[in-house]
Amino acid sequence: EPITVIEGQGRYKGYGDPVIAQAEDGTVICGFSGGAGLWWSTEETPMCNYIIKSTDGGQTWGEPLNITDIVRGKTVKDTLRKKLTSAFFGSGNGVVLKQEAYKGRILFVLALASSSYRLYNYACYSDDGGDSWTVSELAYDGGDEAKIIELKDGRLLMSVRQSGLRGYSYSEDGGQTWKDNGRWADMNTNACDGDIIRYDDGLILHSLTNSLKRENVSIFCSFDEAQTWPYVKTICPYQSVYSSITKLPDGTIGAFIEENPEGACELWYMNFSKEWLMAGQACGR
């Protein structure tokens, strides 16, 4: 049965867009948003951002920590974030860094909105297991829902939702500053929330619609640290949209997918092996 993390109680009191990560000590940390919708946030009825933690694998949860005042608004020093009106997390997987320089740092991505309907991406990170949080410098101007992975050379890569070519940005200092923004030429898709994970040292996986429509959720595969995505395999050929993926302890891949977005939307879980995914690789896309 599902476990309630936090329950909404009516208009402007709902919660959603959760992002989740497991700290080195096993604590599960979840970021989420609540209150008014993204474009309806006001000072009187704000959209707020929260952190909540579980120390028993998600069975029970503590009290939520409201971090809105460090994300945006009059109390922050950043001149752009001071003026922005709402923010939400890039839902799905967060990341916990493994390499020594920033080992244990937890990072979630935020999308902050202006009153003119423009979105900006920032990283939000914690070095004390989720007790306190810092917001990075601007990572991507005009972004949306986004995810982060750690590359073998220690840099971080942010994959950013865009219409058409998928966006990206890099950080060399654990997510504090970002540069070298661009778009992947071989990932031309619908503006959609997908997921990116490292499977092993030689393989990075990205779930995303392989279409300019909301259909055909697929797994994009990179063998060169996400510089190119030469191999793609469909896992949901019909109407489908948001997705999240993870590597399970037995080496298989779990995928959680939203299907039939224009009708009675359904959520489906799929499980497949690396061997199944790679079958047909020589044929290319």
Side-chain angles (χ1 to χ4, degrees):
E1 291 298 314
I3 294 167
T4 299
V5 176
I6 187 166
E7 185 175 1
Q9 298 290 336
R11 183 170 174 82
Y12 297 142
K13 296 180 181 179
Y15 302 101
D17 284 306
V19 59
I20 199 163
Q22 188 170 33
E24 291 185 312
D25 66 357
T27 301
V28 181
I29 296 126
C30 178
F32 61 95
S33 301
L38 179 66
W39 307 119
W40 293 271
S41 178
T42 66
E43 288 191 28
E44 292 75 27
T45 55
M47 184 180 195
C48 295
N49 308 109
Y50 301 91
I51 299 292
I52 196 168
K53 298 199 288 186
S54 171
T55 57
D56 57 9
Q59 298 297 307
T60 60
W61 294 83
E63 290 298 312
L65 171 68
N66 190 330
I67 64 167
T68 308
D69 285 348
I70 69 129
V71 171
R72 62 168 186 87
K74 296 177 181 178
T75 58
V76 304
K77 294 181 180 179
D78 183 274
T79 54
L80 176 57
R81 289 192 289 119
K82 187 182 290 288
K83 298 183 293 184
L84 298 179
T85 56
S86 56
F88 65 102
F89 292 100
S91 56
N93 281 314
V95 65
V96 179
L97 302 188
K98 297 180 179 179
Q99 300 193 47
E100 197 57 42
Y102 302 98
K103 185 174 173 60
R105 175 171 287 181
I106 303 159
L107 291 108
F108 299 152
V109 181
L110 286 162
L112 277 70
S114 71
S115 57
S116 59
Y117 305 104
R118 187 169 184 83
L119 291 171
Y120 304 85
N121 284 123
Y122 294 82
C124 186
Y125 59 90
S126 172
D127 290 321
D128 58 9
D131 290 336
S132 61
W133 293 82
T134 302
V135 179
S136 74
E137 294 186 10
L138 180 64
Y140 204 99
D141 184 344
D144 203 320
E145 289 150 327
K147 306 291 166 57
I148 295 172
I149 61 165
E150 188 174 17
L151 300 176
K152 289 191 292 185
D153 63 7
R155 292 180 301 158
L156 304 185
L157 169 67
M158 183 184 293
S159 170
V160 181
R161 170 178 165 170
Q162 298 276 272
S163 179
L165 301 182
R166 183 84 175 180
Y168 61 80
S169 185
Y170 290 94
S171 174
E172 296 178 350
D173 56 10
Q176 298 167 67
T177 62
W178 296 83
K179 62 180 183 179
D180 300 330
N181 293 8
R183 292 194 175 199
W184 283 301
D186 46 4
M187 194 178 280
N188 190 26
T189 75
N190 178 267
C192 194
D193 187 12
D195 211 351
I196 184 170
I197 63 169
R198 176 176 295 283
Y199 182 86
D200 56 30
D201 280 350
L203 178 61
I204 293 173
L205 305 179
H206 204 315
S207 64
L208 199 62
T209 54
N210 189 20
S211 171
L212 291 174
K213 298 179 180 180
R214 293 198 152 189
E215 63 187 14
N216 196 27
V217 166
S218 303
I219 303 295
F220 289 74
C221 303
S222 176
F223 311 99
D224 58 7
E225 290 297 278
Q227 295 182 62
T228 61
W229 303 90
Y231 176 65
V232 188
K233 189 159 187 174
T234 296
I235 59 173
C236 187
Y238 28 85
Q239 281 192 324
S240 47
V241 52
Y242 287 15
S243 59
S244 186
I245 54 176
T246 190
K247 181 182 179 181
L248 299 172
D250 65 358
T252 61
I253 300 146
F256 195 47
I257 301 175
E258 181 182 28
E259 297 184 4
N260 194 29
E262 296 177 6
C265 183
E266 297 176 336
L267 297 174
W268 286 84
Y269 172 76
M270 300 178 185
N271 177 252
F272 48 89
S273 67
K274 179 184 176 181
E275 291 72 25
W276 176 86
L277 179 64
M278 292 291 106
Q281 179 191 344
C283 300
R285 296 178 71 172

